[in-house]
Amino acid sequence: MTLPTFRTVQEMRDQVAAWRHDGLRIGVVFTMGNLHEGHMSLIDAALENTNRVITTIFVNPTQFGEGEDLDSYPRTETRDTEMVAERGGHAMFVPSVSEMYPTGFTTRVLVDGLTDVLCGQARPGHFDGVAQIVTKLLNQAQADATFFGEKDWQQFTVVKRLALDLDIPTEIRGVPVARDEYGLALSSRNGYLSQEEIEIARKFNVILKKAAYDIGTGGFASDVCEKAAEAILKAGFEKVDYVECRDPDTLELVEKAEGHACRIFGAAHLGRARLIDNHLVN
Ligand code: PAF
């Protein structure tokens, strides 16, 4: 089965306008391709909430830092399109770099505060690139709703903020983390792991969940997070970027969970992959 694939913004807008003219509600799922079940859960959510779903694939160069995997990031458009078609998606938007960043492009979108912490510290400039491309994609698609995976909770928070601040009329919805049977959060970068590393990676979620429980039952977040970071290293990870407990909306640090909504966030390196995950502290 094949799907219409738009390469230009104009083609996508024409289709969106035609659907809207027919009274249909339009959903969009933004991806960098190399799709897996985690992306499919976003498409499922979009199909449940809207009548027509466009999936975008664009490996956005401005969100990759020096030495990161931009060049080696898997480009698998044919397989991705087949997966989306089988799942029931309606169209693809797969623009080129020059369509997205034509000569003379110079605008940046900076979301202060939310982008300086967590992954923003470990990957300087990453969220500036994400904010820039997501703002463009939201304006290009002009969809009714878009769906973001909660594994990238910080990204989801940054996008909600920018859509609110810039009066972008698309609903920004979160979709719970898709996990394998052992609880490992699904990610394109899991593909970089050997079988032995996958076994280690599966301990990440277990350690974070236990830490969330310890904070939820009265532990001091800084102590619990320190112990969790040690446990992650002991499990076989090479480096921990952070384990921190933060407010889900402002991303400010939280020390005691009592009466305060919070989530625990972790990022750690294993082989060629950098894994992130987060859990609600009840
Ligand atoms: O989460 C991703 O895959 C990317 O950051 C996104 C939202 C598609 C922007 O490039």
Side-chain angles (χ1 to χ4, degrees):
M1 202 192 316
T2 182
L3 284 184
T5 298
F6 311 122
R7 305 275 168 195
T8 66
V9 176
Q10 195 55 55
E11 283 169 340
M12 175 168 63
R13 282 197 169 152
D14 289 347
Q15 179 62 83
V16 168
W19 282 334
R20 187 147 289 131
H21 181 263
D22 292 342
L24 299 171
R25 186 172 147 82
I26 296 136
V28 67
V29 174
F30 303 141
T31 83
M32 298 204 301
N34 193 22
L35 303 184
H36 51 69
E37 272 306 305
H39 298 108
M40 294 301 121
S41 71
L42 305 184
I43 292 172
D44 290 346
L47 287 167
E48 266 168 41
N49 282 282
T50 62
N51 310 112
R52 291 289 180 274
V53 175
I54 301 177
T55 302
T56 75
I57 300 179
F58 182 64
V59 183
N60 174 36
T62 69
Q63 70 187 74
F64 286 77
E66 237 173 77
E68 291 189 349
D69 53 350
L70 172 62
D71 293 336
S72 59
Y73 200 88
R75 269 84 168 167
T76 51
E77 183 188 325
T78 306
R79 174 189 150 278
D80 292 344
T81 305
E82 278 166 17
M83 281 176 78
V84 174
E86 270 167 35
R87 206 64 170 218
H90 299 93
M92 308 293 293
F93 175 51
V94 190
S96 62
V97 173
S98 60
E99 177 72 7
M100 297 304 262
Y101 297 112
T103 309
F105 189 98
T106 143
T107 300
R108 299 205 293 150
V109 180
L110 304 180
V111 182
D112 284 338
L114 294 177
T115 57
D116 302 338
V117 297
L118 299 170
C119 288
Q121 251 177 6
R123 303 181 68 190
H126 168 68
F127 287 112
D128 300 345
V130 170
Q132 181 183 51
I133 197 65
V134 170
T135 304
K136 281 177 67 68
L137 287 164
L138 286 167
N139 282 330
Q140 290 167 347
Q142 301 182 356
D144 296 288
T146 180
F147 300 81
F148 279 83
E150 292 179 359
K151 176 174 76 66
D152 300 286
W153 186 274
Q154 188 175 11
Q155 169 171 277
F156 173 48
T157 308
V158 168
V159 172
K160 276 193 295 186
R161 184 77 251 169
L162 75 82
L164 191 68
D165 291 352
L166 299 178
D167 306 305
I168 295 175
T170 305
E171 279 170 48
I172 313 294
R173 298 207 177 198
V175 178
V177 185
R179 300 180 180 278
D180 76 3
E181 57 190 312
Y182 300 92
L184 172 65
L186 301 185
S187 162
S188 300
R189 283 167 175 126
N190 293 354
Y192 296 154
L193 300 173
S194 66
Q195 192 48 43
E196 198 184 323
E197 287 167 337
I198 293 269
E199 304 298 331
I200 297 171
R202 286 181 171 144
K203 297 183 184 154
F204 189 42
N205 152 67
V206 177
I207 295 167
L208 287 182
K209 233 160 107 177
K210 156 105 175 43
Y213 175 81
D214 289 347
I215 297 168
T217 49
F220 282 96
S222 48
D223 293 344
V224 173
C225 290
E226 202 181 310
K227 287 204 184 86
E230 282 165 17
I232 291 166
L233 290 174
K234 213 163 148 213
F237 280 77
E238 284 109 34
K239 186 178 164 224
V240 175
D241 280 345
Y242 58 78
V243 178
E244 287 175 352
C245 181
R246 290 184 176 263
D247 180 281
D249 298 314
T250 64
L251 300 185
E252 276 163 16
L253 280 170
V254 172
E255 183 59 2
K256 284 292 263 179
E258 263 170 359
H260 201 127
C262 53
R263 293 187 87 87
I264 186 160
F265 297 89
H269 296 255
L270 177 63
R272 273 187 67 211
R274 178 179 181 276
L275 303 187
I276 60 171
D277 202 348
N278 69 89
H279 279 282
L280 178 69
V281 174
N282 275 314

